[in-house]
Amino acid sequence: MCPSEVSDIEFSLYRAYQARGLVVWGIASEDDVETLTTFRDQMGLTFPILFDGGGTVHSSYGQLRHDFGTRYPQDWIIGPDGRVLYFNDEYDHEAMTAIIEAHLPE
Amino acid sequence: MKSPLGVCLVMAALFSWGCDGEDAPNHESPETDATPVDPPPGDADAGMTPSPVVPDAGWLAAAPLGPCEAPTPLGQEPLVETATLDLISATGVRPLHVTDIQRGPTPNRFYTVGAGGLFVIDYADGRLEVVGMSSSGGRGSRGFDKVEPIADGIVLLTSRNRGFSVYDTSTPENMNALGSLDIADASGLAYQAPYAYVLTHTGQLKTVDLTDPGAPTVVHTLDGLGNPWEITIIGQRAYVADNSLGLVVVDLSTAAEPALGAAVAAAGSAQDLDADGDHLFVAVGAAGVEAFSLVDPDMPASVSLTDFGASVVSVSADDGLVWGANQDAVAVADTRNPVAPLPLGIEPTDEWAMHLHADGNLAFVADWGQLVVMALDRDTPAPAASVDRQEILVVEGTSSSRLTLTNRGGAPLEIAGLSVDDPRFTLTVEKTDLAPGDSAGIELTFAEDGAPVSASLCLATNDPGTPVIQVGISSSQSGAEVGIGEIAPDFVLRDIDGNSHQLSAQRGQPVVLAYFATW
């Protein structure tokens, strides 16, 4: 994912909506923990960075769509009921904000 | 030198400035008088009929840059000229070719240099006024390239031809040189008492002892730079914008003996730099302005590259804004999120904008034969385009789909272009002008022929932050029948700090999962 998109997730989504209950997790399966830690510190990210070392979680999500392999970004929004609300393989700040706003308490 | 960010540049700076770039920095620009610059193109086709809007009509013809790009700047110009000083009229000195402007320690006092010499300018009540000049007659021998005011009444000057000088400016109407050094090809300089650090275009950094300003002495020469243009000091380190090497760190822990640190490749020809917060903004010529994080001050890390129109020769950053002069125009971007600077505006100047100094929402611009003060109006409301879908699924049996565009901004939104890159689709739109808060429906009609769909809808508006929105269109055969609406696969993963997280434990709250890689 482009650094600017990760940063936008941090500043425009996480910091904006965390207090109202939004959960944001970064998931990486193609970098080692040390690289991820350096990246996290340099970018100033405060949301959890989950390490999917074997790529198994990534694969289980990958099978839900046929036409992406290991392209990035892959953004998902899971609703409060556990169902998938949104998927995109291009970062779309507006669309994500609209969905988040619709599923958070006032 | 290619930026590692590659294709991400498109995401970081979607706003297209529209000026053609020149490549090499060239302070010896044409001797001709002021060249008027064409104003940016005006509003795009405002006379579009509401329906139907067929693909390729109007907008594509207006956007020769590519198949899905916004026409160059529409609407607002929040940069306003608030003061101008024509130096030639004010002083009778020709030619001026002002190439540097710096603010002095005295409030509202500026120093400019160029072929016409050193000028002292005061800024009061919104007006610029010349209060002193370094010489009153004769040509040729009085020019300077760079100026650095270091104390009340003392400025340092460099010239490629004449080296380094120290001037007493305590009486601006009668200034004189205190001392000088023959430093060939002198370039940019910076001061940290009691030393001036002077670059040369032949790759050196000279340390000049100014304990006695009347007798400047070179106490150290550092070799190993390439073609350095500017230097800025932050504590025990200096950072050099070097045309060949990029951004170079210089260790000043022993102030009289600088030592070379890391050299980080830049995205273009580095020629100016300025710090704001813990980031450095570097003018990198035709590539624009590159931001570097100084979280590790010995190893600056490139975090973004922003197009500033033509070749950027000067940059100044202050208070979350970065300003650039690209010889044609002055441009400004919001850098409160330095990883994704938001271009705010661009304004051509009458002559050649060579250098600028930013102070909050003002930029003081050395514009060749004149000085200009530009003000940024940050409260100008802007339109903001938002669509309610990021993907359109064309399901067998349905022949039309609908997308709703909403203007979430504070100023009118105009649709400048709308198209789909698949001839089986036709588009109609309810209206092309949306007041703040207004919505408009966009209808896609699909002429089914049994073949799968993988297309893209492109919507261009005058939203300065997101001028182009792309919505993917696919048919159900692409495997989209699972996904949205399904229960998300549960998992437990540890984060890089060792804490466990389980997805199903988040029920009751929405969760964003961002799969990413650091490359």
Side-chain angles (χ1 to χ4, degrees), chain B residues 150-151 156 190-197 207-211 233 235 252 255-256:
Chain B
I150 65 170
L156 308 178
Y191 177 76
Q192 186 156 267
Y195 300 110
Y197 298 93
T207 306
V208 178
D209 188 336
L210 287 171
T211 313
I233 298 175
L252 295 181

Side-chain angles (χ1 to χ4, degrees), chain B residues 458-497:
Chain B
C458 189
L459 169 67
T461 68
N462 63 335
D463 175 340
T466 319
V468 172
I469 293 175
Q470 276 188 296
V471 178
I473 309 171
S474 57
S475 55
S476 57
Q477 289 111 307
S478 340
E481 69 273 14
V482 294
I484 309 287
E486 297 277 293
I487 295 284
D490 194 18
F491 57 80
V492 180
L493 287 177
R494 278 192 189 279
D495 64 24
I496 55 180
D497 299 309

Side-chain angles (χ1 to χ4, degrees), chain A residues 1-5 7 21 23 25-27 31 40 49 51 61 64 74-78 80 82-84 86 88, chain B residues 8 11 337 339 390 482-483 485-486 488-489 494-497 503 506-518:
Chain A
M1 183 184 285
C2 306
S4 66
E5 292 161 356
S7 177
V23 175
W25 292 344
I27 306 184
D31 297 280
R40 188 268 307 272
I49 307 294
F51 179 55
Y61 275 78
L64 290 182
Q74 293 157 16
D75 295 322
W76 299 80
I77 302 181
I78 316 299
R83 294 186 182 271
V84 177
Y86 167 97
N88 204 340
Chain B
C8 298
M11 301 302 284
N337 182 9
V339 173
Q390 77 290 346
V482 294
E486 297 277 293
R494 278 192 189 279
D495 64 24
I496 55 180
D497 299 309
L503 179 64
Q506 313 305 317
R507 292 283 168 94
Q509 294 169 289
V511 181
V512 170
L513 300 178
Y515 285 94
F516 75 101
T518 62

Side-chain angles (χ1 to χ4, degrees), chain B residues 7 29 51-52 55 80 117 131 147 153 176 194 230 249 291 307 314 322-323 334 337 376 402 438 467 514:
Chain B
V7 72
S29 282
S51 71
V80 176
V131 297
V147 59
N176 50 279
E230 272 298 355
V249 185
D307 181 13
S314 171
V322 66
W323 300 75
D334 181 325
N337 182 9
L376 172 70
R402 194 178 162 92
D438 208 1

Side-chain angles (χ1 to χ4, degrees), chain B residues 27 98-105 109-114 117-121 134 143-151 154-159 163-167 169 175 186-191 197 229-231 272 355-357 366:
Chain B
H27 283 220
V98 183
T99 55
D100 196 5
I101 179 166
Q102 298 292 339
R103 190 170 197 151
R109 174 153 291 182
F110 293 85
Y111 299 87
T112 71
V113 292
L118 167 69
F119 287 75
V120 184
I121 315 278
S134 60
F144 302 101
D145 298 312
K146 306 278 187 183
V147 59
E148 186 79 12
I150 65 170
I154 300 191
V155 305
L156 308 178
L157 302 160
T158 62
S159 152
F164 171 84
S165 346
V166 185
Y167 260 67
T169 60
M175 300 189 285
S187 176
L189 72 165
Y191 177 76
Y197 298 93
W229 280 74
E230 272 298 355
I231 177 170
D272 194 15
H355 205 271
L356 49 69
H357 173 89

Side-chain angles (χ1 to χ4, degrees), chain B residues 90-93 116 118-120 130-137 172-175:
Chain B
T91 64
V93 176
L118 167 69
F119 287 75
V120 184
V130 178
V131 297
M133 311 174 359
S134 60
S135 63
S136 52
E173 56 271 17
N174 185 16
M175 300 189 285

Side-chain angles (χ1 to χ4, degrees), chain B residues 387-407:
Chain B
V387 293
D388 64 340
R389 308 170 62 167
Q390 77 290 346
E391 280 229 20
I392 293 171
L393 199 52
V394 178
V395 177
E396 219 178 301
T398 12
S399 59
S400 77
S401 304
R402 194 178 162 92
L403 182 72
T404 303
L405 170 69
T406 303
N407 180 4

